[in-house]
Amino acid sequence: MTNHEKPVALVTGASSGIGAGYADRLAHRGYDLILVARRLDRLDKLATDLSCRHGSNVEVLEADLTTESGITKVENTLRSDSRITLLVNNAGNGKLGTTTDISHEDSISMIALNVTALTRLTRAALPNFIARDSGAIINIASVMALHSLPITSLYSATKAFVLSFSRGLQEELAGTAVKVQVVLPAGTATEFYDHAGIPLSAFDPDVVMTTTDLVDAALLGLDKGELVTMPSVEDLELWASFDVARNKLFAATQSGKPASRYQVASGGSSEL
Ligand SMILES: NC(=O)C1=CN([C@@H]2O[C@H](COP(=O)(O)OP(=O)(O)OC[C@H]3O[C@@H](n4cnc5c(N)ncnc54)[C@H](OP(=O)(O)O)[C@@H]3O)[C@@H](O)[C@H]2O)C=CC1
Ligand SMILES: N[C@@H](C=O)C(=O)O
């Protein structure tokens, strides 16, 4: 397959960690790459390495996805480069701390990167994918989408957005050949913790996955057609029963009247 016929994947947050892992594995699978991050030196080094090892054509895009110019640069690439068949929305950050401890800048940055950038790049990629009726988007959420701790309120909320947004996209795209996979990694050994406010060393190493294991599992989940991939969860029935319960709960909300526990005795008045 000549380079112009090879599929092209755009990977955000490719300068380290999970994104760099995706870049390597996708190159190994025969993808040409467009790698996005702020650290151009890291991107250039990775591009050279992947070209040498896999013969991939690797382009780099230096972009801060929390800035208008950065996000617009990548949006334009997704809209104009029809070779792109896969978008990996991986770039993300997480400052862990209580809501009042986290700075305004860190709060805004988490939302801008984990929520706004992922949304805007998805919206930029989808029209070409839908028009061609092919293509895939991999959204990297987190198990924290399902769980909030006192130090992860905002981070968990941003990842709950990624999960919920991805599930909605899957509904929208049902019946098309455009796929959306949402991946929920648990603790993974990356530089994430250099900026999170809690060092990786604070975690039990037995519950922290390597990036290689994480990415290989997540890509196998994609190959299997999984919509929701939780690489570290052995019993997927746990997700299935969670999703069934979620559907039942939603159905129960459609009653049109207050539940009996909220019924005020006739003539009584609710305390304000
Ligand atoms: N590590 C873990 O335990 C888990 C991580 N995740 C998620 O995985 C994803 C990848 O994180 P991970 O690999 O762990 O962490 P890393 O910090 O190693 O990677 C984060 C990547 O995002 C890029 N990035 C950060 N800020 C920006 C920005 N403003 N603009 C553009 N790119 C940016 C970084 O590149 P650069 O600094 O060069 O811009 C880097 O390439 C994140 O979405 C994270 O929430 C989910 C669950 C668990
Ligand atoms: N990055 C981790 C923070 O807790 C996670 O998302 O699991």
Side-chain angles (χ1 to χ4, degrees), residues 61-102:
L61 271 184
E62 180 185 11
D64 180 341
L65 294 175
T66 64
T67 67
E68 188 58 32
S69 59
I71 192 87
T72 301
K73 181 195 286 189
V74 184
E75 281 176 323
N76 290 342
T77 298
L78 286 163
R79 290 192 182 110
S80 61
D81 191 338
S82 59
R83 300 173 304 155
I84 297 171
T85 57
L86 174 61
L87 166 62
V88 183
N89 274 317
N90 163 77
N93 68 41
K95 189 65 81 179
L96 306 180
T98 62
T99 301
T100 49
D101 282 351
I102 298 176

Side-chain angles (χ1 to χ4, degrees), residues 12-20 36-43 63-67 89-94 109 113-114 140-144 155 158-159 183-195 200 208 211:
T12 68
S15 61
S16 64
I18 293 169
V36 177
R38 294 168 300 180
R39 288 172 291 180
L40 187 56
D41 57 335
R42 291 278 196 100
L43 291 178
D64 180 341
L65 294 175
T66 64
T67 67
N89 274 317
N90 163 77
N93 68 41
S109 166
L113 186 62
N114 299 2
I140 305 297
S142 164
V143 294
M144 300 314 288
Y155 177 73
T158 68
K159 292 304 185 175
V183 180
L184 283 71
T188 309
T190 71
E191 296 174 20
F192 178 94
Y193 299 93
D194 297 351
H195 325 288
L200 186 57
V208 177
T211 52

Side-chain angles (χ1 to χ4, degrees), residues 96 187 193 198-208:
L96 306 180
Y193 299 93
I198 294 188
L200 186 57
S201 56
F203 293 84
D204 174 355
D206 290 341
V207 303
V208 177

Side-chain angles (χ1 to χ4, degrees), residues 8-61:
V8 177
L10 188 144
V11 182
T12 68
S15 61
S16 64
I18 293 169
Y22 267 102
D24 178 71
R25 286 325 206 211
L26 291 171
H28 178 71
R29 286 180 169 219
Y31 279 85
D32 284 341
L33 300 168
I34 301 173
L35 306 181
V36 177
R38 294 168 300 180
R39 288 172 291 180
L40 187 56
D41 57 335
R42 291 278 196 100
L43 291 178
D44 285 339
K45 183 173 180 302
L46 180 59
T48 303
D49 174 45
L50 295 178
S51 299
C52 292
R53 285 195 294 118
H54 300 292
S56 315
N57 179 32
V58 184
E59 300 165 43
V60 297
L61 271 184

